[in-house]
Amino acid sequence: MDGLLVLLGLVILAIPVAVIYLLISHSGLKGRVRQLEAEVTKLQLRPDAPPVAQTARDAPKPAAEPTPASKDTPAPEPESTKAPDPVDRAPAEKVIAARRAREAEIASTPPEPRPPSLAARGMAWLAGHWIYAVSALSLALAGLFLVQYGVENGFFPPTARILAALAFGGALIAGGEVIRRRFGDGLEASTAYLPSVFSGAGLVSLFGAVVAARLLYGLIGVEIAFAGLVALGVLGLVLGWIHGPLLAGIGVIGAFASPFLVGSEVPATPWLFVYFGIVTAVGLGIDTLRRWAWVSALSAALGVVTGGLTYVAGSAGEMSLAAQVYFAVMVALAVLIPARGILPDHAEPMALRALVDRQGWPSFPVLLVWPVLAVASFMITGIGAEDAGLFWPGIAVPSLLVAAFVLWSHGAPGLQDAGLVPLAGLFILIALEGVGPGQEARAFAAAYAETAEADFPLAVSVLVAVGLALSVLSLWRGLRPGEGVAWAIAAAVIAPAVAIVLEVTWQPAETIGAYPWALHGAVLAAVMTQFAIVLARVDGDDRLRLSICILSALAALTFAIVLILSDAALTVALAALVVAAAALDRRFELPLMQVFISIGVVAVGARLIADPGLGWAMQQAVFWEVLLAYGGALVAFVAALYLLRGKDRVTAQVMLDTGAWSAGGVLASLCLSRAIEALTGRASEGHWEVGLFAVIWIILALVQVIRFEALGGRLRWVRAGLAGLFGLIALGAILASLTLFNPLLDAFSPNVHGPVLINTLVPGYLLPALVLLAGSTRLVGREIRWGVFGLACALAAFWAFAALRHGWQGPETLELRHGFLQGELWSYTLALLAVGAALFYQSLARGSVVLRRAGLVVIGLAVAKVFFVDISGLTGLTRVLSLAVLGLSLAVLAWLDRWAQGRADPQPE
């Protein structure tokens, strides 16, 4: 065990030492840069020296030599009598020309060579000064192993061992001071870095001696050990201030490594957290005095690493709570010590904004806080989830951190987003406890397991109260002068988010009942409404923050009604909330309400289609429930659309419009299906049911295509994917109606029910064709529009064929295997000719060449049918009549075609 600890300590010590010496070159380069700057200044001040930093633009222009006048050269006119240049540029053009000239000059100037990176400079320094690193490491280990040697061999009593380590450390510090005072510690001195090496190694030895005196031998009490460590921390600050960053790095690394190198068999205790906290504070304190950023980074990194190792090495029950407190203290140290006060002053930009906007880089103090905060939140959450008795401390510590950042960041705008990290840890811990399930979640679920007279479990109520407290605190922050929308969003989101996480993972309604749990949602809605009232008084005409809180109140109210209402009533209630949002927008001018309206339309649509969905509507629900759910949604969407008339609410209006069409179409299909089932006395099993099913999915697919074309945005590909999925379902239903459930093929479909032209063929084939035709008129994309139109024409043609056959054959001999009657074949020809004539008429009315060509195609089909089918299938006068009608029709249509072309083509003069 000792060897493993020694090896671990060497690894911890070696890596930061290398980093320090890589970074220490910064101090050496400073002197060289200063010397170069002084030499450049001297060169510039010399009167006989040319300018050093002039560019071609700054260089003086040589005076033009006078050109001797000749008799052929006219003398220049006086400047006062010279006419103005008619092509003289305007001032704006001159500015543009000058700017372009500067840009061309900059582009032609070769770029300056990039300076070597920090790592390259550090490696170069280490290559020439590696001996200092080895010397510091050797001296620091000597002091620590002096104590370990006494332990292993028992040569000296414990007191003598500690005194020897203290004496050794003191001698090294004294020697470093003597060298610094007599020979100096500057870069130009021959003893450069030596005072820092000796003093740093001595400081490590002193830290190790105090730790060994307390943890190994128990020679001193907790108070004396604490006081000694604080005194050594102050000494480290003083020495770091005097000697420079090298000593600071050596001292910090050695102090962190000391407990791992003294060879203790005693298990880790919570007092190690106190020790590591003091050492971290010492390192951060050195940085806040001298502004050596890497010292803070090193101290913070080693602080969280050694804290994590201490927690892992100790016993869980004893170390867990201390570890949670320790990591919270690490965050406080990382925030406050660089700010040199109780209130931080971290300047913008925030880390997340810098990551998104990419227009600036956060300052070092801001960058220092984030990794410490991330690791600390991870450890606090993990400890709370792992240790059964530390769930509530795991809730309290992140909550206090969130509250602290809400309060702290008023004077530190760069930390306004830092509270998101512990807030995420809070949500994760609540979720893990419920999914686990953890001890608290199990106790909550078993509250009424033995008797219904047990006390009401308060766990979820307390968690919701924690979320409410953070929301109230965020609102208070948002009411301070100069604050923006972000704090209103936090106030409106935190508490409802806690309730949602509890609903998903804890499922409180199964334990305390739907009504008590819904009461929590009602309380949230009431609090968010009060937030909106407060913001309405403060913001005046600016309704953005008010809208956010109203959205949250509506969402909380939705959450409450979801828990207590039945399927149909819940759908109507959600639709009513959409109407309420539209009314609020109309009354108070709240543009953000269209976000809730859009989400509400999607939620209602999901209930109509998926949960409880079409299966519930077709098979389980009674008719009045279907009418209430789907009819209520239709009325609500139309009412909301009416309330938004005349307003610039494109997203909400498109969502409501398409939602109304989809709800109305689905309702009509369901009503028709119920009517057919009642009239025929058959369960929904035939071609009409498949056709109505196709109508529903055709409507849904068209709705998504319309939204895709009209709205675009980030969800456009989601809408495209839904349109493709719904379209495939509809196409599959259409193919099934034409094959498996086709009444002409006698497959699985019952006979056609109803009189001629008013029968089940209409919902099976004509209704899908009409829906496709109507939808194609609202589509924008040419390819999609013509594809939908072509499919509609194909379905309509099949319906016309099946309807004509049903009129001639009746339902008993409708299948194609029974053959064709002569009048039936002739009627098909007449139908084709009628369709062709109708297309011709439409082409004349609209002046459409496409319709004229389509009419010719249909007539061509009629001609082909007559010559290839009718001549062989008809006999007698029927054949003669068919050919005569075809001839006369073709003559009339040919004349019409010629006349139409004459009107379309210009006549020659």
Side-chain angles (χ1 to χ4, degrees), residues 49-99:
V52 176
Q54 282 186 335
T55 63
R57 184 184 60 186
D58 301 323
K61 296 180 176 59
E65 296 182 0
T67 304
S70 63
K71 60 181 181 181
D72 298 327
T73 304
E77 298 180 0
E79 186 175 355
S80 58
T81 62
K82 186 177 180 180
D85 187 0
V87 295
D88 189 17
R89 295 179 178 177
E93 295 177 348
K94 291 181 178 179
V95 172
I96 294 174
R99 185 178 63 189

Side-chain angles (χ1 to χ4, degrees), residues 608-884:
L608 296 180
I609 302 304
D611 183 20
L614 295 173
W616 169 80
M618 290 179 175
Q619 300 173 3
Q620 302 174 10
V622 296
F623 180 71
W624 71 266
E625 288 182 323
V626 175
L627 191 62
L628 177 64
Y630 291 84
L634 172 61
V635 172
F637 292 162
V638 173
L641 193 61
Y642 176 78
L643 290 171
L644 293 180
R645 70 189 187 282
K647 289 186 173 294
D648 186 17
R649 305 288 188 266
V650 177
T651 300
Q653 289 167 346
V654 170
M655 295 293 291
L656 289 170
D657 178 46
T658 53
W661 280 105
S662 61
V666 174
L667 176 62
S669 301
L670 293 174
C671 291
L672 187 57
S673 175
R674 293 295 183 98
I676 295 175
E677 181 179 347
L679 291 174
T680 60
R682 289 179 174 272
S684 300
E685 58 183 6
H687 55 272
W688 63 86
E689 186 65 23
V690 180
L692 292 174
F693 184 77
V695 166
I696 294 174
W697 291 103
I698 289 170
I699 293 173
L700 297 177
L702 291 173
V703 163
Q704 295 301 326
V705 174
I706 293 172
R707 290 175 181 175
F708 173 84
E709 295 176 341
L711 297 179
R714 297 181 179 178
L715 296 178
R716 62 194 310 264
W717 296 115
V718 176
R719 297 188 179 99
L722 291 175
L725 176 62
F726 297 162
L728 287 176
I729 296 175
L731 184 60
I734 292 173
L735 292 177
S737 67
L738 293 174
T739 53
L740 296 177
F741 297 93
N742 190 340
L744 303 183
L745 299 179
D746 194 20
F748 300 102
S749 179
N751 292 331
V752 176
H753 299 276
V756 177
L757 298 180
I758 307 175
N759 49 39
T760 55
L761 291 173
V762 173
Y765 302 100
L766 181 59
L767 187 59
L770 294 177
V771 172
L772 286 170
L773 183 63
S776 66
T777 61
R778 299 197 58 182
L779 299 178
V780 178
R782 180 181 177 88
E783 294 79 6
I784 298 178
R785 184 173 66 250
W786 281 107
V788 172
F789 179 78
L791 183 59
C793 292
L795 275 177
F798 179 82
W799 169 81
F801 172 73
L804 285 175
R805 183 169 179 80
H806 179 260
W808 285 96
Q809 298 281 357
E812 292 79 11
T813 58
L814 186 64
E815 295 83 3
L816 295 177
R817 59 187 177 86
H818 294 291
F820 296 90
L821 300 176
Q822 293 194 17
E824 178 185 352
L825 289 175
W826 186 54
S827 65
Y828 296 148
T829 304
L830 290 179
L832 289 174
L833 291 174
V835 172
L839 290 174
F840 260 97
Y841 173 77
Q842 288 295 323
S843 68
L844 294 176
R846 299 185 179 184
S848 174
V849 179
V850 175
L851 290 178
R852 183 161 54 86
R853 292 174 179 173
L856 290 177
V857 171
V858 174
I859 294 171
L861 291 175
V863 172
K865 176 181 177 298
V866 168
F867 283 97
F868 290 100
V869 177
D870 292 357
I871 291 179
S872 60
L874 299 178
T875 59
L877 291 176
T878 307
R879 180 188 300 175
V880 174
L881 183 61
S882 176
L883 292 173

Side-chain angles (χ1 to χ4, degrees), residues 127 164 249 404 435:
V435 173

